[in-house]
Amino acid sequence: MEKQVRLLALVLSCLFLLLIAHLTYLQALKGEELYLNPLNPRLRLLEEKTWRGRITGREGEVWARTYLAGERLQREYPLGAAAAHVVGYASPRLGMTGLEATYNGELLGLTGWQGVVNRWREFQNGVRRGNNLVLTLDVSLQRLAFRLLQGYRGAVVALNPKTGEILALVSSPSFEPARIENAWEELNDPRQGSPLLNRALQGLYPPGSTLKLITAAAALAKEPGVSQREFHCPGYIEIEGRKLTCPRVHGNINFNEALMFSCNVAFAQLALEAGWEAWEGAARSFALGQKLDFELNVASSRLPVTAKGNPNALAESAIGQGEVVVTPLQMALVAAAVANDGRLMQPFMVARIEDDKGAALKVTRPRLLKLAVDPEVARVIKEAMVATVEEGTGQSAGIPGVRVAGKTGSAQNPQGKAHSWFVGFAPAEAPRVAVAVIVENAGAGGAVAAPIGGQIMASVLGR
């Protein structure tokens, strides 16, 4: 009996210690995260008496601000639908999305030293004030991208390849954040085309021929001499009894021409020669199949699970079809890495956090995310991309007087016409902007997505 009592006491002691450890974990380690969660109803009470911080663009223009309407504090979004998927909304009834949700604690002035200051203000019956966000995004570029996507479903992502700063991030169709409560039922109507979906970050699409950049990287990394080879394209390649077709018969072509005219045969052959391990390694070096650290939630691109040991699946993946799917942000990073001599920078769009007096509390510094490819490999791919815009399928992305590098894509999908893709950067010799454009069910990349990409890049370069 005494032994059983001791055993029971030991078990209860262990359970008690586990309870203490769990409570300590919740209070000490997870306390602030749980408190600042937008779903916490106590924050709603604080928001009613807090002058929520501003969100401004890189030149100081206002993207979101609080104003006094009678005796109530209201939130205003001057850019409206053009910035809705970036800024999000803060609604008493529907909660928060976008940067409003991610930086809720900062915008309410609850974090760091500002939290202490606001508690003192509250003690003195003063007004609580939140911190401000300063973004890397350019308002004119954001509006231009939004205008160019009007009437389409798609997305545009533009960034500085040297730093990782996001310059524009647009998803279409969009919505008016200030009217979100009144329009909620309409926005959720399937016939509206999912305007609440941030296609730039959450849309998963087959990348089509834009993924040939990664196949080229895999082949060149394994055998640099492939850039000097010639390929023969009879309009198809037969793999274990199955034919993978090409849009046209290219005949004898070199490496640059294979990219210029987007030859499926050449790139399927390159992937098969490199092998699954080399191709998958190249894809992962560009961060495909990995969770991206970003201010907003980004869907993870997916690599094919059946391509290992399956030559047909590998060949399909190598030309951007099959099971591989990506986000527009992911493909913008691929273009940016090639532009930046193989260095893939961490993407970000919050440049700094300031207090209500304008003093910087936190500044985001550019940092290297990955070395995607060797600089020489990047150079070879870059030259082939320049040839693609000068003489190949990407000519509609050209900018007079500027060497533009690009790659088009037409991604087949079961929901109708192919998706139109374009990725590129400019100027090729000293890139200042990299871009990815997708337009759903719009057909050839050179016809729709490439001209949009060209206009975005031209705007950044002042052309």
Side-chain angles (χ1 to χ4, degrees):
M1 184 68 179
E2 185 179 344
K3 183 178 180 181
Q4 291 176 329
V5 170
R6 283 201 299 267
L7 181 60
L8 178 61
L10 179 61
V11 171
L12 291 175
S13 298
C14 290
L15 291 174
F16 187 65
L17 289 173
L18 284 173
L19 179 60
I20 292 175
H22 183 62
L23 290 174
T24 302
Y25 169 74
L26 291 177
Q27 291 290 332
L29 300 179
K30 300 289 286 186
E32 183 174 277
E33 180 183 334
L34 293 171
Y35 177 60
L36 297 179
N37 191 304
L39 298 177
N40 182 359
R42 294 177 61 189
L43 293 182
R44 186 65 234 165
L45 300 176
L46 272 177
E47 184 147 6
E48 291 174 357
K49 51 185 179 182
T50 301
W51 202 275
R52 191 175 178 88
R54 295 189 313 277
I55 301 176
T56 60
R58 64 187 300 121
E59 301 299 331
E61 66 285 344
V62 177
W63 291 46
R65 64 185 165 202
T66 295
Y67 68 99
L68 193 62
E71 297 182 355
R72 294 186 60 191
L73 294 173
Q74 299 282 352
R75 200 66 167 159
E76 181 182 32
Y77 301 98
L79 270 67
H85 292 98
V86 171
V87 174
Y89 56 80
S91 162
R93 182 165 65 88
L94 300 173
M96 301 175 189
T97 62
L99 294 175
E100 293 276 36
T102 303
Y103 290 91
N104 189 40
E106 288 80 359
L107 291 166
L108 287 176
L110 298 173
T111 59
W113 179 248
Q114 194 69 10
V116 178
V117 172
N118 274 324
R119 281 194 288 272
W120 177 249
R121 285 171 175 165
E122 195 171 13
F123 178 74
Q124 294 185 314
N125 294 320
V127 178
R128 298 176 59 93
R129 291 189 176 274
N131 300 318
N132 304 317
L133 304 183
V134 180
L135 308 183
T136 62
L137 287 92
D138 181 276
V139 65
S140 60
L141 196 66
Q142 185 80 7
R143 283 176 167 151
L144 172 63
F146 183 68
R147 179 174 60 81
L148 293 173
L149 282 178
Q150 289 301 289
Y152 295 115
R153 297 179 186 180
V156 169
V157 178
L159 71 155
N160 183 333
K162 300 292 184 183
T163 63
E165 296 171 276
I166 302 294
L167 303 176
L169 193 149
V170 172
S171 176
S172 178
S174 187
F175 62 94
E176 288 287 342
R179 295 183 56 250
I180 189 69
E181 293 189 0
N182 294 332
W184 186 251
E185 289 187 10
E186 178 186 353
L187 292 172
N188 282 279
D189 187 330
R191 294 171 295 182
Q192 298 302 313
S194 303
L196 296 173
L197 173 66
N198 188 340
R199 287 168 160 84
L201 306 181
Q202 291 292 316
L204 285 169
Y205 302 94
S209 292
T210 60
L211 206 70
K212 289 172 182 172
L213 299 178
I214 288 177
T215 302
L220 288 164
K222 190 160 186 179
E223 177 48 64
V226 299
S227 62
Q228 307 301 318
R229 274 177 53 186
E230 277 206 348
F231 305 87
H232 180 70
C233 171
Y236 69 91
I237 181 172
E238 189 169 324
I239 306 167
E240 295 188 342
R242 288 185 58 192
K243 284 186 177 181
L244 188 153
T245 61
C246 209
R248 52 176 282 199
V249 176
H250 293 109
N252 294 324
I253 53 174
N254 61 32
F255 179 83
N256 276 13
E257 290 169 336
L259 197 72
M260 285 166 54
F261 303 114
S262 206
C263 178
N264 290 346
V265 170
F267 282 94
Q269 184 178 336
L270 286 173
L272 293 172
E273 291 175 1
W276 162 253
E277 285 76 13
W279 187 87
E280 183 196 31
R284 293 194 181 279
S285 71
F286 281 95
L288 266 75
Q290 301 173 29
K291 184 69 176 175
L292 284 173
D293 181 20
F294 194 58
E295 290 96 338
L296 301 180
N297 189 35
V298 184
S300 296
S301 54
R302 295 200 297 265
L303 295 176
V305 296
T306 61
K308 186 175 183 179
N310 185 335
N312 274 290
L314 174 57
E316 287 182 350
S317 300
I319 62 170
Q321 296 293 161
E323 296 178 5
V324 61
V325 289
V326 297
T327 62
L329 174 62
Q330 177 68 71
M331 293 313 299
L333 293 178
V334 170
V338 175
N340 196 31
D341 298 325
R343 295 186 298 273
L344 177 57
M345 304 301 290
Q346 170 67 43
F348 66 97
M349 60 182 176
V350 176
R352 62 186 181 275
I353 301 173
E354 299 177 343
D355 66 16
D356 60 304
K357 300 290 194 299
L361 302 175
K362 181 180 179 182
V363 177
T364 307
R365 304 294 183 191
R367 65 182 178 89
L368 181 68
L369 180 63
K370 280 177 174 288
L371 182 61
V373 291
D374 183 83
E376 178 59 23
V377 171
R379 185 194 65 78
V380 173
I381 297 173
K382 182 185 297 188
E383 289 304 315
M385 292 175 70
V386 170
T388 300
V389 174
E390 290 181 347
E391 305 175 64
T393 60
Q395 293 182 53
S396 56
I399 303 170
V402 178
R403 290 181 80 231
V404 177
K407 182 72 190 82
T408 60
S410 304
Q412 297 175 6
N413 72 97
Q415 283 79 44
K417 289 178 65 177
H419 298 323
S420 178
W421 272 101
F422 176 79
V423 300
F425 52 88
E429 60 278 6
R432 290 168 51 193
V433 57
V435 65
V437 180
I438 184 169
V439 183
E440 294 180 14
N441 306 119
V448 180
I452 294 174
Q455 290 183 66
I456 296 293
M457 292 185 288
S459 177
V460 174
L461 302 180
R463 297 301 180 105

